[in-house]
Amino acid sequence: MIGLLWLIPAIPFASALLLLLFGGNISRRAATAVGVGSIGLSALTAILVAAGFLSAPPVGNTYTQVLWTWIDVAGFQPQIAFYLDALSLVMILVVTCVGFLIHIYAAEFMWEDEGFSRYFGYMNLFVASMITLLLGDNLLLLILGWEGVGLCSFLLVGFWYREPVNCAAARKAFVVTRIGDTAMLIGLYLLFTRLGTLQIQELMRRASEQWPMGSAYAVAAALLLLGGAVGKSAQLPLQVWLPDAMAGPTPTSALLHAATMVTAGVYLIARTHVLFALAPAAQTAVGIVGAGTLLLAGFSALTQHDIKRVLAYSTVSQIGYMFLALGVGAWQAAMFHFVTHAFFKALLFLGAGAIINAVDEEHSMFRMGGLRKELPITFWTFLIAGCSLSGLPFVTAGFISKDLIIWSAWSAPGGHPAFWIAGMAGALLTALYTFRLIFRVFFGPLGIPVTKRPGYAMTVPLMLLAFCSIVGGYFKGPILNFLNSALPSTIEAHTAGLSEVGSEAVAAMVFLIGLYFAYLFHLQKRSLADALVANPVGLALHEWWFAGWGFDLVYNKLVVQPFVWISQINKGDFVDSLYTGIARLADLLYRGLSSTETGRVRWYAAAMAGGSVVFLAVVLFL
């Protein structure tokens, strides 16, 4: 079974190629069979591989499948090879299975779109690239998948390219993530030149043997890899692209936010955890980035009107929790939250898509209302996902995984009370903005009437994801135990003054406080929320948080406008002027020399004699 590993990325790659080359010549039903069926086959193959891995674990609980040698130059021999361990296995199961449910949903959601086949071609290439990233045995192959998901995000965010705003969002995502990718590539160059390999496991072994704790090389390499992770996972200070990326079709948002691109940075840090353990300063920076991001995004989510934009900021915040866990050394907690987050965030985006479809493509939650009776399945599944996101105590998967991170922020070796407080504050913000959304959309008087109801292809994935959003948390023990073979266990180094049960109790109370204030301001007395915004201080904060804390404005002033100014000055491009000057000099020399071609022999003889005299004079007198 485990030998089928290569098929997991190969099947979606092949289907993407088929759809992109011939999709315009096949029916929608055939495109659905290829686009959705291939991801289903990939998910089934992943399940079979997992069954083989668990029933007969390979030596060392790792399996490497070498397909061929990619490059062979001067001893540099990266291979097309896949590396399977507990970490990569958990992630590919989530990517393929959740991706399959999103594809089923997308078949109905995109049915009437003229780019139906092209859409599934991009989506399948997205999944294939993510799987390649996760299974890559070396950092060069990982980079191939890393850039593949970046390309696909550009194609899918700008899928409806006739709308300029969509193209602008796609361009923004592509450019901002390239900043992080540049840092990552420099980090890879540093690792290769100092350690002589890009094979990940060998690289980590050499780093632990050759670099002492706190080595400048380890710190520099870890910080550069963090730069790549920050860009891809939309963390501070490169978080600005993700809220705009919701411009693409809603199933794209579900795939992008739940199972693929934005989790790549989390995986990269977890995969290279040995390097970060050698660089405590860089690992602490990961925690600081996560704590800052989860708070910043939480406040911004409180002010958004667009239902998908609220969820986008929520993703930035939840990925921040994963970074916080990685930063304090709770590696397994970060990956467990990745699993539960994939369930409830995919469900939230798919539910949002069903709502938007039902109310004639309206995105503003303040124009909705009273939809719980109009869309009962969507309401109950969305409510379950919202409870999991905000942490309904002891019941939902989100509470179990997020509380584990918050407790680790206190107790883990890199933990600190400030991290714990940030995690609790983020939990309060999450409950506030989640139930603000739920109360505004599903309760109160009916807003926009429902004109279209989702069919089975859209509602069945919602129900399955809702089930996973509840029961997924009860697999905490098995998942953490399984990850023990790939990631270090978290050691409880700081427990004075607080127990895990005490932390859970505080988290439960924080959830109830957030729920109460959301109920008070957005259902019982909505005038109170209006009064807060009417206050000058409240209005200023609202506008600041609504604009993402002004990061776009700062980047526009410091980067975009100076670049545009330089471009306008350099319209002619001075590099072109250099080559134009060389061409003109050559033309001038040609004309000068061609004028000597007169055909008169006496002038030729005189020139030869004169040249000889000049040559002899130079030789004799110099």
Side-chain angles (χ1 to χ4, degrees), residues 293-508:
T293 304
L294 71 90
L295 291 174
L296 179 146
F299 281 112
S300 290
L302 273 176
T303 63
Q304 304 303 311
H305 297 169
D306 188 312
I307 184 172
K308 287 178 65 177
R309 202 170 179 87
V310 174
L311 299 179
Y313 274 112
S314 170
T315 298
V316 176
S317 182
Q318 294 304 304
I319 299 294
Y321 273 104
M322 298 178 207
F323 269 65
L324 174 59
L326 296 170
V328 301
W331 311 101
Q332 298 172 18
M335 302 319 301
F336 180 49
H337 193 55
F338 155 76
V339 174
T340 62
H341 178 262
F343 297 144
F344 63 71
K345 187 50 60 67
L347 176 53
L348 285 167
F349 268 107
L350 297 184
I355 294 166
I356 293 168
N357 255 9
V359 294
D360 199 24
E361 302 303 315
E362 177 58 60
H363 283 235
S364 175
M365 69 176 77
F366 288 93
R367 295 181 186 144
M368 301 176 188
L371 293 179
R372 70 185 188 279
K373 294 181 180 179
E374 300 292 322
L375 301 169
I377 294 177
T378 303
F379 165 65
W380 285 109
T381 55
F382 198 95
L383 179 63
I384 289 170
C387 288
S388 191
L389 167 63
S390 55
L392 177 64
F394 314 114
V395 175
T396 57
F399 172 81
I400 296 172
S401 61
K402 187 162 60 177
D403 182 71
L404 180 61
I405 291 177
I406 295 174
W407 168 240
S408 298
W410 177 283
S411 63
H416 191 277
F419 284 149
W420 183 84
I421 292 171
M424 283 297 180
L428 176 62
L429 291 171
T430 305
L432 279 170
Y433 69 67
T434 301
F435 282 95
R436 168 181 179 263
L437 172 60
I438 291 172
F439 290 144
R440 288 286 181 175
V441 171
F442 293 104
F443 291 84
L446 182 65
I448 300 174
V450 171
T451 59
K452 183 178 181 181
R453 288 177 169 77
Y456 289 115
M458 291 174 65
T459 54
V460 170
L462 296 182
M463 291 186 287
L464 291 175
L465 287 168
F467 175 77
C468 293
S469 296
I470 295 175
V471 304
Y474 297 103
F475 289 91
K476 170 185 171 182
I479 291 175
L480 296 183
N481 290 333
F482 182 58
L483 288 171
N484 273 337
S485 62
L487 296 170
S489 298
T490 305
I491 301 171
E492 293 188 356
H494 314 292
T495 58
L498 185 68
S499 66
E500 185 172 4
V501 173
S503 180
E504 288 179 348
V506 174

Side-chain angles (χ1 to χ4, degrees), residues 233-265:
S233 292
Q235 298 292 284
L236 278 171
L238 300 179
Q239 79 287 355
V240 294
W241 68 269
L242 191 57
D244 291 342
M246 56 85 190
T250 301
T252 293
S253 301
L255 192 63
L256 175 69
H257 290 248
T260 55
M261 182 169 166
V262 295
T263 61

Side-chain angles (χ1 to χ4, degrees), residues 269-281:
I269 296 174
R271 175 56 75 198
T272 57
H273 66 271
V274 173
L275 183 62
F276 282 86
L278 291 172

Side-chain angles (χ1 to χ4, degrees), residues 58-420:
V59 178
N61 290 304
T62 64
Y63 172 74
T64 302
Q65 186 176 60
V66 179
L67 301 182
W68 65 82
T69 299
W70 187 2
I71 301 170
D72 188 353
V73 178
F76 179 57
Q77 295 178 313
Q79 297 173 318
I80 301 296
F82 298 135
Y83 179 81
L84 186 69
D85 66 354
L87 175 60
S88 54
L89 181 56
V90 167
M91 293 204 70
I92 62 172
L93 283 171
V94 171
V95 170
T96 55
C97 293
V98 174
F100 178 51
L101 294 178
I102 294 171
H103 273 64
I104 294 174
Y105 176 100
E108 179 181 335
F109 187 89
M110 298 294 292
W111 184 258
E112 297 179 0
D113 196 281
E114 61 180 354
F116 186 81
S117 297
R118 176 170 59 92
Y119 180 74
F120 278 102
Y122 292 163
M123 289 279 278
N124 287 15
L125 184 60
F126 203 0
V127 172
S129 298
M130 187 65 186
I131 296 171
T132 302
L133 186 161
L134 297 174
L135 291 178
D137 177 65
N138 58 79
L139 288 175
L140 198 62
L141 186 57
L142 184 148
I143 278 289
L144 182 67
W146 186 275
E147 296 302 332
V149 296
L151 170 65
C152 292
S153 71
F154 172 79
L155 296 173
L156 286 165
V157 171
F159 181 77
W160 290 318
Y161 56 85
R162 290 187 177 90
E163 295 292 332
V165 65
N166 297 338
C167 296
R171 184 174 63 248
K172 182 178 181 180
F174 192 78
V175 171
V176 173
T177 54
R178 295 288 76 70
I179 297 170
D181 291 359
T182 302
M184 182 178 173
L185 289 170
I186 296 171
L188 265 59
Y189 179 77
L190 172 62
L191 289 169
F192 178 71
T193 55
R194 293 298 167 183
L195 299 176
T197 183
L198 286 178
Q199 201 277 332
I200 298 173
Q201 303 309 312
E202 179 64 16
L203 191 68
M204 296 300 102
R205 186 186 68 80
R206 294 185 188 183
S208 61
E209 290 179 354
Q210 298 179 26
W211 290 345
M213 182 73 70
S215 164
Y217 288 125
V219 172
L223 287 175
L224 288 167
L225 293 185
L226 173 59
V230 160
K232 197 66 76 179
S233 292
Q235 298 292 284
L236 278 171
L238 300 179
Q239 79 287 355
V240 294
W241 68 269
L242 191 57
D244 291 342
M246 56 85 190
T250 301
T252 293
S253 301
L255 192 63
L256 175 69
H257 290 248
T260 55
M261 182 169 166
V262 295
T263 61
V266 177
Y267 171 77
L268 176 67
I269 296 174
R271 175 56 75 198
T272 57
H273 66 271
V274 173
L275 183 62
F276 282 86
L278 291 172
Q283 187 173 345
T284 300
V286 175
I288 293 172
V289 166
T293 304
L294 71 90
L295 291 174
L296 179 146
F299 281 112
S300 290
L302 273 176
T303 63
Q304 304 303 311
H305 297 169
D306 188 312
I307 184 172
K308 287 178 65 177
R309 202 170 179 87
V310 174
L311 299 179
Y313 274 112
S314 170
T315 298
V316 176
S317 182
Q318 294 304 304
I319 299 294
Y321 273 104
M322 298 178 207
F323 269 65
L324 174 59
L326 296 170
V328 301
W331 311 101
Q332 298 172 18
M335 302 319 301
F336 180 49
H337 193 55
F338 155 76
V339 174
T340 62
H341 178 262
F343 297 144
F344 63 71
K345 187 50 60 67
L347 176 53
L348 285 167
F349 268 107
L350 297 184
I355 294 166
I356 293 168
N357 255 9
V359 294
D360 199 24
E361 302 303 315
E362 177 58 60
H363 283 235
S364 175
M365 69 176 77
F366 288 93
R367 295 181 186 144
M368 301 176 188
L371 293 179
R372 70 185 188 279
K373 294 181 180 179
E374 300 292 322
L375 301 169
I377 294 177
T378 303
F379 165 65
W380 285 109
T381 55
F382 198 95
L383 179 63
I384 289 170
C387 288
S388 191
L389 167 63
S390 55
L392 177 64
F394 314 114
V395 175
T396 57
F399 172 81
I400 296 172
S401 61
K402 187 162 60 177
D403 182 71
L404 180 61
I405 291 177
I406 295 174
W407 168 240
S408 298
W410 177 283
S411 63
H416 191 277
F419 284 149
W420 183 84

